């Protein structure tokens, strides 16, 4: 089906409301006396749909805060792919089709900035990092960071990733037991935390890992709450959640600063030693092509904070959903396991050279990212100039909201959209419209760490399948997603892991 189907629906709905049947006929028997000219009614501008915004849109805001994904799903069902509403002082537009998303984030990228409220929330954790900055500063940072995240460069982190995962996965089922009911959120949180510590700093800090994992999740929950308020009250106030936020920020910033400080001391004490290959070394070695200047110490710290939070949370969350889906769909798990076995002899550790030989395993991960994208909502932009979307004029200052959850579950782009069907991502499957699958975003702001994330998740998933078979406990409840900044299961996910013979 055509990608423009959504736009055609919008056009037909608006054109139907117009008075497009103007009458211009004259009576043939009348004498040829000039008659007053008949002018067609002036054409009305196309308008988006949308709910009524009573009481400054506060009822809508309450609905969004209670169930944002359900709200946007209903919004598309009731009002179409392009909607507009007034929420407080915001002129909010929702873009709910691939064409509209690409038109905004690709075609009009130069006329968009990130939503200021989101920036204010993230800046508390990430400072002036590439996730937060705009304009010339963002372009400079992005240009400098890109070489550290190319597929070739990321492949160099593979051994650090697999070394970090090996011991934790081996110990997932206690020694002497054939199987165990394993809390997968704890397992993947610990593994992903060790991976990011090793790839970022070449060190495993098990003493810090659990506290750091708690801190990242606490800050994610806090950030989501703050998105729905016009400003952030000072953190020193004795309000619910403030003490936890202070502890989380202190824990994360202290961990990152300790490792950067240790690296500075090591550099002074170990002249002539072989250089490290971790991400911190890459950040310290980066130079601006135009000026030759390095990142400032504050920029290095801020980029480490982004890499730490995003690199851990995205992978852990995706692998958690993937594990649940594979346990729920044993046929897909067996097929992926057989593929891994055919590529990797017993005992061989997977590496970047094996990824192209694991298309079905990769497809299961992409399908998990489709059904449960880590960033399921709140990709929000501000227009800095008037633009046109789907033939509709959007004014300067509008807030554009993009919700991958809705795009990923649209039957027009994904048949049986609520089902786990990894085959849709294989090479011989029908092409997926551009902009319909965007777990890492799209356009100039696409996630700089997407190659890192896909490499890590594929290697770790293959290592798990080499060791265990997965199955769900009897009578387990349906897994309900809960949105913070990332999308996580509402309740803990427990899966039986059985050692392979």
């Amino acid at each position: 089906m055509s990608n423009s189907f959504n736009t055609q629906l919008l056009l037909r709905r608006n054109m139907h409301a117009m008075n497009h049947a103007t009458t211009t006929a004259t009576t043939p028997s009348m004498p040829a006396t000039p008659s007053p000219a008949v002018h067609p009614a002036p054409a009305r501008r196309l308008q988006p749909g949308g709910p009524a915004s009573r009481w400054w849109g506060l009822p809508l805001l309450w609905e969004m805060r209670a169930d944002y994904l359900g709200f946007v799903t209903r919004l598309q069902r009731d009002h179409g792919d392009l909607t507009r509403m007034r929420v407080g002082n915001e002129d909010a537009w929702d873009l709910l089709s691939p064409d509209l998303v690409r038109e905004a984030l690709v075609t009009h990228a130069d006329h968009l900035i990130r939503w200021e409220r989101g920036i204010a929330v993230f800046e508390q954790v990430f400072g002036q990092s590439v996730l937060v900055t705009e304009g010339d500063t963002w372009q400079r940072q992005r240009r400098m960071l890109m070489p550290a995240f190319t597929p070739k460069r990321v492949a160099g982190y593979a051994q650090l990733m697999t070394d970090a995962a090996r011991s934790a996965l081996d110990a997932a089922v206690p020694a002497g037991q054939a199987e165990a009911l394993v809390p997968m959120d704890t397992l993947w949180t610990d593994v992903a935390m060790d991976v990011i510590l090793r790839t970022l700093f070449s060190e495993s800090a098990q003493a810090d890992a659990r506290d750091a994992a708690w801190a990242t999740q606490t800050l994610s929950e806090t950030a989501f709450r703050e998105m729905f308020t016009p400003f952030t009250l000072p953190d020193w106030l004795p309000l619910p959640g403030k003490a936890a936020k202070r502890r989380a920020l202190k824990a994360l910033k202290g961990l990152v600063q300790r490792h950067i400080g240790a690296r500075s001391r090591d550099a002074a004490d170990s002249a002539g030693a072989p250089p490290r290959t971790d991400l911190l070394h890459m950040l310290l070695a980066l130079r601006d092509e135009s000026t030759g200047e390095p990142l400032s110490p504050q920029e290095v710290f801020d980029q480490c904070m982004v890499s730490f939070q995003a690199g851990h949370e995205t992978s852990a969350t995706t692998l958690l959903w993937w594990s649940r889906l594979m346990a729920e769909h044993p046929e897909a798990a067996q097929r992926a396991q057989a593929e891994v076995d055919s590529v990797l002899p017993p005992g061989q550790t997977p590496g970047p050279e094996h990824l192209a030989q694991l298309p079905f395993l990769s497809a299961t991960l992409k399908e998990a990212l489709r059904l449960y994208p880590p960033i399921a909502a709140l990709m929000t932009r501000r227009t800095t100039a008037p633009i046109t979307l789907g033939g509709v004029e959007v004014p300067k200052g509008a807030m554009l909201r993009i919700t991958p959850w809705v795009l990923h579950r649209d039957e027009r782009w994904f048949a049986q959209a609520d089902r786990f069907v990894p085959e849709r991502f294989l090479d011989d499957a029908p092409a997926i419209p551009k902009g319909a699958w965007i777990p890492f975003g799209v356009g100039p702001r696409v996630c700089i760490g997407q190659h890192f994330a896909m490499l890590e998740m594929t290697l770790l998933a293959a290592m798990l399948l080499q060791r265990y078979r997965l199955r769900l406990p009897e009578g387990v409840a349906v897994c309900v997603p809960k949105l913070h900044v990332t999308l996580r299961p509402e309740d803990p996910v427990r899966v039986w892991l059985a050692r392979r013979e």
Side-chain angles (χ1 to χ4, degrees), residues 143-154:
R143 183 175 64 249
M144 292 179 69
L145 289 169
M146 282 297 292
F149 290 95
T150 61
K152 182 177 180 180
R153 180 71 73 180
V154 164

Side-chain angles (χ1 to χ4, degrees), residues 127-128 295-303:
Q128 290 298 300
L295 293 172
S296 70
Q298 186 62 48
E299 285 179 316
V300 171
F301 177 84
D302 291 342
Q303 305 306 338

Side-chain angles (χ1 to χ4, degrees), residues 19-24 37-44:
N19 177 19
H20 54 55
T22 57
T23 303
T24 58
V38 179
H39 296 286
R44 290 169 54 191

Side-chain angles (χ1 to χ4, degrees), residues 234-239 241-251:
D235 289 338
W236 51 262
L237 289 173
L239 297 172
K242 289 294 187 182
K245 180 183 176 183
R246 290 195 301 271
R247 291 198 304 273
L249 279 170
K250 183 178 180 181

Side-chain angles (χ1 to χ4, degrees), residues 306-325:
V306 170
S307 300
F308 190 89
Q309 176 91 356
H312 160 263
E313 183 75 0
T314 300
S315 298
T317 301
T318 301
L319 287 166
L320 177 57
W321 285 114
W322 173 84
S323 300
R324 164 72 193 218
L325 288 165

Side-chain angles (χ1 to χ4, degrees), residues 12 47 86 100 103 149 153 171 252-253 312 320 354 356:
R12 285 201 295 271
Q47 295 296 326
R86 174 65 62 176
L100 292 169
E103 192 173 4
F149 290 95
R153 180 71 73 180
L252 270 193
K253 291 185 175 183
H312 160 263
L320 177 57
H354 300 121

Side-chain angles (χ1 to χ4, degrees), residues 419-435:
R419 289 189 56 200
F420 179 68
V421 184
E423 290 80 2
R424 68 175 96 242
F425 287 98
L426 296 178
D427 288 342
D428 58 355
I432 295 171
K434 291 182 178 180

Side-chain angles (χ1 to χ4, degrees), residues 278-442:
D278 55 31
L279 188 54
L280 176 57
H281 173 78
M282 297 297 172
L283 292 174
L284 292 169
L286 290 176
R287 294 295 182 271
D288 189 316
E289 292 180 355
S290 302
T291 66
E293 293 181 357
L295 293 172
S296 70
Q298 186 62 48
E299 285 179 316
V300 171
F301 177 84
D302 291 342
Q303 305 306 338
C304 283
M305 288 290 290
V306 170
S307 300
F308 190 89
Q309 176 91 356
H312 160 263
E313 183 75 0
T314 300
S315 298
T317 301
T318 301
L319 287 166
L320 177 57
W321 285 114
W322 173 84
S323 300
R324 164 72 193 218
L325 288 165
M326 296 297 271
E328 193 174 345
H329 299 86
E331 301 87 356
Q334 290 166 13
R335 181 175 173 181
Q337 206 156 46
E339 182 181 72
V340 170
D341 291 347
S342 71
V343 173
L344 297 165
Q348 182 175 350
T349 300
E353 68 275 14
H354 300 121
L355 264 61
Q357 304 171 61
L358 299 171
F360 188 74
L361 177 61
S362 176
T364 64
L365 287 162
K366 290 176 180 177
E367 181 71 340
L369 284 164
R370 182 188 70 83
L371 286 168
Y372 301 103
I375 307 301
L378 297 177
M379 289 186 181
T380 310
R381 301 290 188 268
R382 174 86 66 200
T383 57
T384 59
I387 62 174
T388 300
L389 295 175
V392 177
E393 295 182 10
V394 179
K396 177 182 178 180
M399 180 174 74
L400 309 182
R401 299 186 299 213
I402 295 161
T403 307
W405 171 273
V406 174
L407 292 165
H408 289 188
R409 289 174 177 260
D410 193 320
E411 292 281 345
R412 291 172 294 175
W413 328 123
F414 301 101
Q416 299 177 306
D418 289 332
R419 289 189 56 200
F420 179 68
V421 184
E423 290 80 2
R424 68 175 96 242
F425 287 98
L426 296 178
D427 288 342
D428 58 355
I432 295 171
K434 291 182 178 180
W437 184 77
I438 54 169
F440 300 108
V442 67

